[in-house]
Amino acid sequence: SQKIEQNSEALNIQEGKTATLTCNYTNYSPAYLQWYRQDPGRGPVFLLLIRENEKEKRKERLKVTFDTTLKQSLFHITASQPADSATYLCALEGGSNTGKLIFGQGTTLQVKP
Amino acid sequence: KAGVTQTPRYLIKTRGQQVTLSCSPISGHRSVSWYQQTPGQGLQFLFEYFSETQRNKGNFPGRFSGRQFSNSRSEMNVSTLELGDSALYLCASGGLAEETQYFGPGTRLLVL
């Protein structure tokens, strides 16, 4: 079955630095991969989607890469701010034309001022 | 557009009881998915409804069921509650492409 792994340990960085989060997956070749942000007690919020034929996608201070050979996605936040502190979830599509997503456990990012 | 709404936001039940949670998707969205989130297992897919039909189902026991109405609103029901059912239950709705999921705030269920 599909398996997604994200760094389970929290990532602590200093404000202004670049945060890099990793998502690895096995036993699957997803058509796309998504990243979500979740704050405590709230539902996940969509950030970025990258398709299998795309190497990189950017949105403001966010950048996602997708390496289908390594079966890995990297999520970068440049010029990080304390407001970026949250849990970031990687999600794979669970089948075409479907709303099903398979989520990783998430990585908690803490940006210190 | 209003976002996904879920009711109730918080619920306390005892073992053996049953519970019904409600979700109203974003206007125009026809896909509604349900997820269970716990600290140990993370976000796990329960089921998805599209145009009143269950389109996908996760690996949960039959105690977990759902339905979708003609206005796309959805309910999920858990019967014979167990302590392990304590979790945050999240509903998500999808648009035309149904790739991006828009999540509601969740219903926090505590089973005592």
Side-chain angles (χ1 to χ4, degrees):
Chain A
S1 62
Q2 306 100 328
K3 188 175 179 182
I4 306 174
E5 288 185 351
Q6 294 185 252
N7 290 346
S8 57
E9 292 183 11
L11 180 63
N12 296 299
I13 64 168
Q14 206 66 34
E15 181 177 8
K17 301 292 185 183
T18 296
T20 298
L21 285 67
T22 305
C23 174
N24 295 297
Y25 60 92
T26 58
N27 300 329
Y28 198 45
S29 295
Y32 58 82
L33 182 149
Q34 303 184 37
W35 284 88
Y36 287 77
R37 168 184 172 144
Q38 187 174 25
D39 292 284
R42 308 186 78 167
V45 174
F46 170 76
L47 295 174
L48 281 167
L49 180 152
I50 186 165
R51 300 185 188 283
E52 60 181 340
N53 61 348
E54 297 175 315
K55 295 292 185 187
E56 179 182 300
K57 186 165 271 190
R58 293 173 184 261
K59 179 184 175 183
E60 298 172 354
R61 294 183 296 111
L62 309 180
K63 184 179 86 170
V64 173
T65 63
F66 194 11
D67 189 325
T68 55
T69 301
L70 290 178
K71 294 189 182 293
Q72 180 182 79
S73 175
L74 299 178
F75 176 79
H76 307 271
I77 305 175
T78 58
S80 59
Q81 305 165 0
D84 295 327
S85 299
T87 295
Y88 291 86
L89 298 158
C90 166
L92 303 182
E93 56 93 4
S96 60
N97 298 318
T98 176
K100 176 181 178 181
L101 291 173
I102 302 165
F103 282 89
Q105 288 281 73
T107 298
T108 299
L109 172 66
Q110 186 73 36
V111 181
K112 298 181 180 179
Chain B
K1 269 187 180 179
V4 177
T5 58
Q6 292 187 245
T7 57
R9 292 294 312 278
Y10 304 93
L11 208 48
I12 299 176
K13 292 285 187 179
T14 56
R15 278 185 303 172
Q17 287 187 310
Q18 70 140 17
V19 67
T20 299
L21 312 181
S22 181
C23 170
S24 291
I26 291 172
S27 178
H29 284 189
R30 292 161 62 189
S31 163
V32 174
S33 298
W34 289 89
Y35 292 82
Q36 181 196 65
Q37 187 173 33
T38 59
Q41 299 297 318
L43 262 162
Q44 291 188 290
F45 175 78
L46 279 157
F47 29 65
E48 180 201 10
Y49 287 87
F50 182 84
S51 293
E52 303 179 65
T53 301
Q54 188 179 84
R55 184 160 69 174
N56 274 300
K57 189 176 189 306
N59 296 323
F60 278 82
R63 300 185 297 107
F64 292 82
S65 63
R67 59 177 175 169
Q68 186 180 33
F69 302 95
S70 58
N71 62 357
S72 293
R73 191 178 70 85
S74 177
E75 289 181 347
M76 71 162 277
N77 185 77
V78 188
S79 62
T80 320
L81 284 166
E82 300 177 359
L83 297 179
D85 296 333
S86 295
L88 179 66
Y89 289 88
L90 292 158
C91 161
S93 75
L96 276 175
E98 289 146 11
E99 294 169 341
T100 300
Q101 295 293 293
Y102 298 87
F103 283 84
T107 294
R108 174 76 61 183
L109 172 66
L110 177 61
V111 182
L112 302 175

